[in-house]
Amino acid sequence: HFTSSSIGREMLFLMGAHDRGKVKPICYALNKDEGSWLQHVWRESISKGCEVFHDVSPLSDSAAALLINKDAPHVLIDLNGWSGGNRATMISMRPAPVQVNYKNWVASSGIPALSFLVGDRVATPPEFAMDFSEAMVLVPNSYFISGHAYQYPLDNPIQAASETTAPLG
């Protein structure tokens, strides 16, 4: 999901929000760059926000799992769920000690290798926790990531002009 999709946009904002002294994002692209200008631009932007970016799309599930295990991430976050290009077999090989279901599949994945699911009280009501194979990690308010600060920085000239202009009327 390192494309111009809604999840790709959120990941761009998320990668840029990390304190690199504490978190070093490593991203594994499960789907190949299809070559469209828009997809390529988003993928390149997201990759620049990562400490390491691997395209594992040409690799077998076993080879991809070995690469992830070699990189030794503390947490592996699956953004694909069961959507197109999923790598459930690779996830089932447990290449990382903690594996998390996040974003694309707000229902349970049913994959025992995914220990946690990140959601919120609306998208994943805690009263349904017994229906999930993953333990729920519920974030306050909403688990959606907003890129508002990224897209509209405080030094935005339009915003600055509106703050210095006398009100109409």
Side-chain angles (χ1 to χ4, degrees):
H1 285 291
F2 299 120
T3 67
S4 63
S5 68
S6 61
I7 294 173
R9 288 183 181 95
E10 289 184 31
M11 291 306 105
L12 176 62
F13 309 137
L14 183 62
M15 294 306 129
H18 283 99
D19 176 347
R20 287 303 177 82
K22 297 178 180 176
V23 176
K24 298 193 181 333
I26 304 171
C27 291
Y28 303 93
L30 304 181
N31 300 314
K32 67 180 182 164
D33 185 339
E34 295 170 359
S36 74
W37 175 83
L38 187 58
Q39 180 181 1
H40 181 73
V41 167
W42 273 94
R43 186 181 181 112
E44 188 174 293
S45 296
I46 293 167
S47 70
K48 287 179 183 174
C50 302
E51 190 75 19
V52 178
F53 185 91
H54 293 292
D55 178 357
V56 298
S57 64
L59 301 180
S60 69
D61 288 328
S62 295
L66 284 171
L67 174 64
I68 293 168
N69 188 261
K70 181 181 167 220
D71 286 345
H74 296 154
V75 178
L76 180 63
I77 300 172
D78 180 21
L79 300 173
N80 249 30
W82 287 104
S83 64
N86 77 74
R87 301 292 289 267
T89 302
M90 178 197 71
I91 292 291
S92 295
M93 294 175 184
R94 296 185 189 264
V98 177
Q99 300 185 151
V100 178
N101 175 3
Y102 180 56
K103 285 316 281 182
N104 202 9
W105 206 259
V106 295
S108 177
S109 68
I111 301 172
L114 288 168
S115 303
F116 301 99
L117 172 133
V118 176
D120 60 47
R121 298 181 72 75
V122 174
T124 49
E127 55 268 25
F128 294 109
M130 71 285 234
D131 297 324
F132 285 74
S133 61
E134 307 91 345
M136 288 185 180
V137 176
L138 301 179
V139 297
N141 303 319
S142 175
Y143 80 119
F144 286 96
I145 300 165
S146 169
H148 187 268
Y150 178 85
Q151 291 176 305
Y152 307 103
L154 294 177
D155 63 350
N156 181 311
I158 296 170
Q159 187 175 14
S162 68
E163 291 174 0
T164 59
T165 306
L168 297 175

